[in-house]
Amino acid sequence: MGEVRELREAARILKDARSVLVLTGAGISAESGVPTFRGPEGLWRNHRPEELATPEAFARDPRLVWEWYEWRRRLVEACDPNPAHHALARAAMTRPGMRILTQNVDGLHDRAAREEAERLRPDAEQAAAATPLELHGSVLRARCTSCQERVPLTEPLDTSHRDTLPRCDGCRALLRPDVVWFGEALDPAILDEAFHLAEEADLCLVIGTSAVVQPTASLPRVTQSNGGRVIEINPEPTPLTMTADLSLRATAVEAVPGIVAAPRGGAEA
Ligand code: NAD
Ligand code: ZN
C-alpha cells in the first residue's frame, strides 16, 4: 500500500472509531527536540539513563540524580509541543471518546492541551478529555519522599550540594523527581484506567514508542483481543509492527496532524 493510501486508511479508521486510546512514547517529542533514550543524544556525561533513573541511584547520590533531572527539565522547558501534540490535543478536546496516554515525562502533551484550550475555550469535560494520562510522571514536578505531596517545579533548583536539594514544605523530607524509575511500580490508578481504556477502545493509536516495556506494551494487544484495531506510527519497525492492523513508516509530525484532522463523522474527502 502506498504511503498516501495508508494515511487515508488510518484517517478513515480513526473517523469511524467511537473510542480511541492514543499511546505515545519518546518518539512523539523527538521533533520537538527532546532526545529519545535510545537515540545518539540519550547519554548525559557518559551516564546511561538506566544508571540514574533508579531508586538505588537516588539513595546513593541524590545530588547527581537531581542534577540530571534539572538538566532534563531545562531541556524540555526550552522545547515546544509540535504539530502532532497539538493535533492530538485538539482532537481529544473536540471529538468525544479519545484519550491520550503517554509514557513521556516532558509535559508536552499537557502544554499543547493548555495552549489549545486558550484558543478553543472548551468546557470542563472537553478540557479534561484532552488532559493526558501520564504513566511515568513528569520532570516538571517533584514529590516528597516521605508524605508523597506533589509540587510543581517552576524555578531553577540549586543542585550544587546535598544540603541545597529541595525539601518538602510540610514535613521537610527530601523531594524527589515525580517520575517512575526503573524497577518501580506504575501508579495503580492510572494503570487501571489505561487497561480500561484499552479494553473499551475501537482503536489504539500507538505513536513513537518502541513498545517493549511491560505492562504498557500489552495495551494494544488488549484492544485487539476485544475486537479493536491497532495503528502504529513510527519511522522504524518495532515489535508491534507485525501485529498492528496498520503500521505507518512516518514520523509523528508527518503523519499525525493529517490523520486526526478529519472531523468525526464528517464528509469523505
Ligand atoms: P524509546 O526511546 O525507547 O523509543 C522511541 C521510539 O520513537 C523508537 O521506536 C523510535 O523509532 C521512535 N521515533 C523516533 N523518532 C520519531 C519520530 N519523529 N516520530 C515518531 N516516532 C519516532 O522511547 P519509549 O518507548 O517512550 O521508552 C523509553 C522511556 O524513556 C519512556 O518510558 C519514557 O518515560 C522515557 N523517556 C521519555 C522522554 C520524554 O519524555 N520525551 C524522552 C526519553 C525517554
Ligand atoms: Zn512531605
Side-chain angles (χ1 to χ4, degrees):
M1 216 189 316
E3 199 179 303
V4 174
R5 270 186 58 195
E6 283 185 335
L7 281 170
R8 284 223 182 112
E9 172 71 358
R12 192 189 58 73
I13 293 173
L14 179 69
K15 196 150 77 174
D16 290 344
R18 267 176 307 108
S19 76
V20 181
L21 174 61
V22 182
L23 175 61
T24 71
I28 196 170
S29 297
E31 286 156 290
S32 288
V34 184
T36 61
F37 277 176
R38 281 154 235 251
E41 293 162 272
L43 288 176
W44 176 72
R45 294 197 206 153
N46 295 321
H47 293 283
R48 284 181 298 119
E50 295 85 339
E51 292 167 23
L52 296 169
T54 68
E56 293 76 23
F58 189 73
R60 194 168 50 234
D61 194 346
R63 199 204 60 72
L64 180 71
V65 172
W66 261 122
E67 193 183 4
W68 181 52
Y69 276 96
E70 276 294 276
W71 174 78
R72 291 181 65 191
R73 178 158 71 100
R74 275 198 303 278
L75 204 135
V76 304
E77 280 173 349
C79 296
D80 292 309
N82 66 48
H85 296 105
H86 276 284
L88 289 171
R90 254 189 328 267
M93 221 167 260
T94 51
R95 52 165 289 159
M98 184 191 273
R99 285 307 302 272
I100 300 161
L101 175 70
T102 188
Q103 296 164 274
N104 294 344
V105 293
D106 57 30
L108 290 179
H109 281 296
D110 195 49
R111 265 175 63 193
R114 282 185 281 115
E115 288 170 18
E116 289 300 327
E118 279 188 17
R119 295 193 320 111
L120 297 171
R121 304 270 164 210
D123 62 29
E125 200 178 319
Q126 291 170 315
T131 302
L133 290 161
E134 295 173 331
L135 263 173
H136 294 169
S138 171
V139 297
L140 305 173
R141 283 192 308 268
R143 184 171 89 228
C144 178
T145 52
S146 177
C147 74
Q148 311 301 323
E149 178 79 8
R150 290 186 160 88
V151 192
L153 295 172
T154 48
E155 302 298 319
L157 301 175
D158 180 353
T159 59
S160 58
H161 296 95
R162 205 177 171 125
D163 301 343
T164 62
L165 295 180
R167 292 192 165 265
C168 177
D169 275 345
C171 71
R172 303 309 301 156
L174 198 58
L175 297 179
R176 57 166 278 178
D178 187 22
V179 297
V180 179
W181 283 328
F182 292 103
E184 291 187 315
L186 302 183
D187 180 330
I190 298 182
L191 203 55
D192 272 3
E193 187 161 8
F195 275 91
H196 174 72
L197 289 166
E199 276 166 27
E200 297 285 299
D202 303 315
L203 171 63
C204 182
L205 182 59
V206 183
I207 306 165
T209 170
S210 38
V212 287
V213 182
Q214 290 297 353
T216 319
S218 58
L219 291 168
R221 207 55 71 81
V222 168
T223 297
Q224 278 177 325
S225 57
N226 283 275
R229 294 206 252 191
V230 171
I231 298 178
E232 171 182 64
I233 297 171
N234 198 310
E236 306 289 336
T238 76
L240 190 67
T241 302
M242 292 297 285
T243 51
D245 296 274
L246 194 57
S247 185
L248 302 183
R249 286 289 78 75
T251 73
V253 169
E254 284 165 355
V256 173
I259 291 174
V260 304
R264 177 148 191 255
E268 200 71 54

